[in-house]
Amino acid sequence: MAKIKHIPDVTAVAPTQNVFLNLQTAITGRTPAETIEGGGNAEHGLLGLAFHPNYASNGYFYVAYTVRINAGSYYQRISRFQVSADPIVANPTSELILLQQLDEGANHDGGDLHFGPDGYLYYTAGDEENGNDTRLNSQRINKDFFSGIFRIDVDKKATSIQPNPHAAIPTDSGIARFSVPKDNPFVHNTLGGTWDGIYNGASVTPLSGVRT
């Protein structure tokens, strides 16, 4: 549920394995308290893993998981970690949180992570629980980061732009920890993209939390 393991030889009759990263260990001791929980019908816990295309040189990898904070609400989180001096063990203190959003549902989490051939990180998010999209997350693009495939620039290339301000996006001195490629579908033409601001027949203000 919360461990990423390294298996040197998956073809062995009795493969050896070691813990590459234990997420619960990584978040233990924080204030407010954080825990990794799941089980039952809940789809919480470790959701996705992707290694940076330049992992061999920078040691970065990205993890999608759900975390419970202060024994209360659950949050979906995308974080960057880095390998330690030992190539088969991650540094548990290296977490950099890129996205953390409140998740009011116990399932339909999504959480798949992949780097595309364009070098950008792709993240899939579910509809935040329940059938028939009862929370209407699939019907709007100016609320949260659910019901979609999100394409972000973790290398913050000069050609990319800042994401729109959102409570789910941590910042350092007002600057987000990732950027948005200008050719993403919902980057408004006033921000360098090609979108005209019309969604489902209605005009959407470009800086009103639109999911660029």
Side-chain angles (χ1 to χ4, degrees), residues 49-134:
L49 168 69
F51 290 88
H52 192 282
N54 295 323
Y55 177 79
S57 58
N58 63 28
Y60 292 152
F61 63 98
Y62 297 79
V63 179
Y65 67 100
T66 53
V67 60
R68 192 178 189 190
I69 298 180
N70 213 24
S73 298
Y74 291 87
Y75 292 81
Q76 287 197 19
R77 180 181 284 174
I78 302 175
S79 292
R80 187 192 77 191
F81 286 88
Q82 191 170 27
V83 72
S84 70
D86 183 340
I88 60 172
V89 179
N91 178 358
T93 67
S94 64
E95 182 174 22
L96 181 72
I97 299 171
L98 305 183
L99 181 75
Q100 177 174 293
Q101 69 171 338
L102 177 66
D103 185 352
E104 298 182 280
N107 57 4
H108 292 200
D109 286 347
D112 197 19
L113 289 176
H114 287 279
F115 277 94
D118 53 12
Y120 297 127
L121 181 63
Y122 289 75
Y123 163 63
T124 65
D127 60 10
E128 200 183 12
E129 190 188 42
N130 297 328
N132 303 316
D133 191 29
T134 54

Side-chain angles (χ1 to χ4, degrees), residues 112-192:
D112 197 19
L113 289 176
H114 287 279
F115 277 94
D118 53 12
Y120 297 127
L121 181 63
Y122 289 75
Y123 163 63
T124 65
D127 60 10
E128 200 183 12
E129 190 188 42
N130 297 328
N132 303 316
D133 191 29
T134 54
R135 299 184 191 276
L136 300 180
N137 284 319
S138 298
Q139 313 305 315
R140 52 193 170 192
I141 60 171
N142 59 346
K143 184 175 180 285
D144 297 315
F145 298 90
F146 291 106
S147 294
I149 299 176
F150 300 92
R151 178 179 181 246
I152 64 175
D153 177 8
V154 297
D155 295 318
K156 305 182 73 172
K157 299 179 177 67
T159 54
S160 296
I161 61 174
Q162 279 286 296
N164 291 322
H166 194 284
I169 302 176
T171 61
D172 300 309
S173 300
I175 304 299
R177 296 166 180 172
F178 65 88
S179 296
V180 175
K182 283 186 179 180
D183 59 349
N184 272 10
F186 296 112
V187 175
H188 198 274
N189 50 32
T190 60
L191 303 175

